[in-house]
Amino acid sequence: MTQDNKLDRFPRAQFMSGPTPLERLDRLSSELGIDLWLKRDDLTGLGFGGNKTRQLEFYLGDALQQGADTILITGAVQSNFVRSAAAAAAKLGMQSVLQLEERVPDMGEEYYSSGNVLLAQILGAEHMSYPEGEDETGADAALHAHADELKAQGRKPYVIHLGLNHPPLGALGYVLGGQELCQQMQDIDAIVVPSGSGATHGGLLTGIALDESDASVFGICVRRNCEEQQARMNTVLQKLADLLDINAAPLQDRIKVLDEALPPGYGKLSGMTHAALNKMARTEGIFLDPVYSAKTFAGLLHLVSAGEIQPGQKVVMLHTGGLPALFGYQNELIDNLS
């Protein structure tokens, strides 16, 4: 069975208008001594773009098949996923309920009012809050409790889960994304992606493997340390392989995660991350977000300096978008300009 046929079994809403650009970063390539390309999934289009658009095609496809009229999802206050879900719901004439978790302590007022928060309000999303940031099971349970209330009102809710106890439908979007990348470029030596929930990382790794690419895929930890993220990726890849009816073991053997850019933690920036964000902007005129893509680029720079990425290798970094969060972090970013 071909990869396309495997994915055809799953309902899909259409949000992607076509492949996203693959752009060579000429100045950084020269400076770093590698052949560096950027896969521009910040340009997926819907609701300020970002990688979650690909994932939402499969979640919302499932929701439509079930006759849902309301989407419920949980994430950090400046979550790109919840903002993208609100945009996708609006496009399909659905209501969205966004549960915002307290994952990032000691943030200023702008973190709670601008960026993704403001955009979700413009999109007409309903909001609820969850006091903990590291309780996926509890956060999902809170969504289901609210979904039960909506059912009692006659609405038809659909929950997009955060925890690992559910099939990773969103990862199917990056199985297609991996295939798309392989169609755009052959002979890739390495791909560098953020690794958080694991859906993007796991889906892309699966997609290129099904396309018979042997590129190394480096997942840059943005939320958990290497040991915890390795365990999570094993689970994500097993559940994704179960969905596709393929063997997970060869995929699990290819997991590479690095946490050098993670400190001081999820949603917090180090000097290493600030430097990476500024370097990309000032060298290539491209903005990165503070939570995911800046840490991804910081991780890539570490891989080059450590010799994990060799001189002359063809390297693709996935730009996952998330640019509205820049405004939620504006005071911290201004304080670290140099």
Side-chain angles (χ1 to χ4, degrees):
M1 181 181 287
T2 68
Q3 180 180 341
D4 284 335
N5 286 336
K6 287 179 180 295
L7 291 169
D8 284 346
R9 295 187 287 110
F10 300 94
R12 180 184 174 195
Q14 190 69 48
F15 300 132
M16 299 285 296
S17 59
T20 57
L22 185 61
E23 177 179 349
R24 189 174 193 272
L25 304 182
D26 293 338
R27 294 189 65 210
L28 281 170
S29 292
S30 178
E31 178 180 333
L32 299 176
I34 61 176
D35 187 10
L36 181 59
W37 295 74
L38 195 64
K39 177 62 170 163
R40 297 295 304 271
D41 274 16
D42 55 320
L43 302 179
T44 52
L46 178 70
F48 253 97
N51 65 316
K52 302 304 183 183
T53 302
R54 293 187 190 271
Q55 298 186 31
L56 285 163
E57 287 196 326
F58 287 90
Y59 283 120
L60 272 292
D62 190 42
L64 287 172
Q65 187 176 71
Q66 295 186 29
D69 59 19
T70 305
I71 303 301
L72 296 92
I73 187 170
T74 190
V77 172
Q78 281 293 335
S79 168
N80 306 305
F81 203 175
V82 301
R83 176 258 305 163
S84 296
K91 185 175 180 65
L92 296 178
M94 297 179 175
Q95 182 60 50
S96 58
V97 178
L98 314 181
Q99 178 174 260
L100 304 185
E101 306 168 19
E102 289 292 342
R103 290 189 197 169
V104 187
D106 304 320
M107 298 301 290
E109 183 277 332
E110 70 282 352
Y111 181 79
Y112 295 91
S113 60
S114 67
N116 286 312
V117 176
L118 174 62
L119 294 178
Q121 291 172 338
I122 293 172
L123 288 163
E126 300 176 21
H127 282 86
M128 55 188 287
S129 61
Y130 191 75
E132 297 183 48
E134 298 300 331
D135 179 14
E136 292 183 345
T137 301
D140 282 344
L143 288 183
H144 276 282
H146 190 60
D148 288 340
E149 296 174 2
L150 296 177
K151 287 178 184 177
Q153 300 169 16
R155 291 163 70 175
K156 298 177 180 178
Y158 179 90
V159 174
I160 298 175
H161 298 99
L162 180 64
L164 288 173
N165 296 325
H166 304 274
L169 285 178
L172 297 173
Y174 268 94
V175 176
L176 286 178
Q179 182 184 46
E180 177 183 300
L181 177 57
C182 290
Q183 290 171 343
Q184 289 176 309
M185 176 179 285
Q186 297 179 349
D187 301 321
I188 301 169
D189 293 303
I191 304 168
V192 184
V193 301
S195 193
S197 72
T200 294
H201 180 184
L204 192 143
L205 175 56
T206 302
I208 69 160
L210 288 172
D211 215 67
E212 300 184 347
S213 168
D214 60 359
S216 296
V217 178
F218 293 99
I220 307 302
C221 298
V222 297
R223 189 171 178 187
R224 302 167 190 86
N225 64 32
C226 277
E227 182 179 358
E228 293 171 337
Q229 193 64 17
Q230 177 82 30
R232 187 179 186 92
M233 291 306 306
N234 275 314
T235 300
V236 169
L237 287 170
Q238 182 62 63
K239 287 184 173 291
L240 180 55
D242 291 343
L243 279 177
L244 295 172
D245 193 24
I246 61 175
N247 183 9
L251 302 170
Q252 293 166 326
D253 289 343
R254 294 178 63 174
I255 297 171
K256 298 178 185 289
V257 290
L258 300 96
D259 59 8
E260 284 80 5
L262 176 61
Y266 175 84
K268 289 291 189 179
L269 282 73
S270 66
M272 181 181 181
T273 310
H274 280 290
L277 189 151
N278 291 338
K279 178 183 279 292
M280 181 66 77
R282 296 172 186 185
T283 308
E284 296 288 351
I286 295 172
F287 294 111
L288 303 177
D289 84 291
V291 182
Y292 294 93
S293 56
K295 290 195 174 187
T296 304
F297 186 44
L300 186 154
L301 294 174
H302 170 78
L303 287 165
V304 173
S305 66
E308 293 284 338
I309 291 176
Q310 297 289 317
Q313 285 193 317
K314 184 181 290 185
V315 181
V316 176
M317 175 181 143
L318 180 66
H319 191 333
T320 50
L323 299 181
L326 282 165
F327 302 100
Y329 283 78
Q330 62 187 27
N331 289 341
E332 183 176 354
L333 293 171
I334 289 170
D335 289 343
N336 285 275
L337 293 174
S338 59

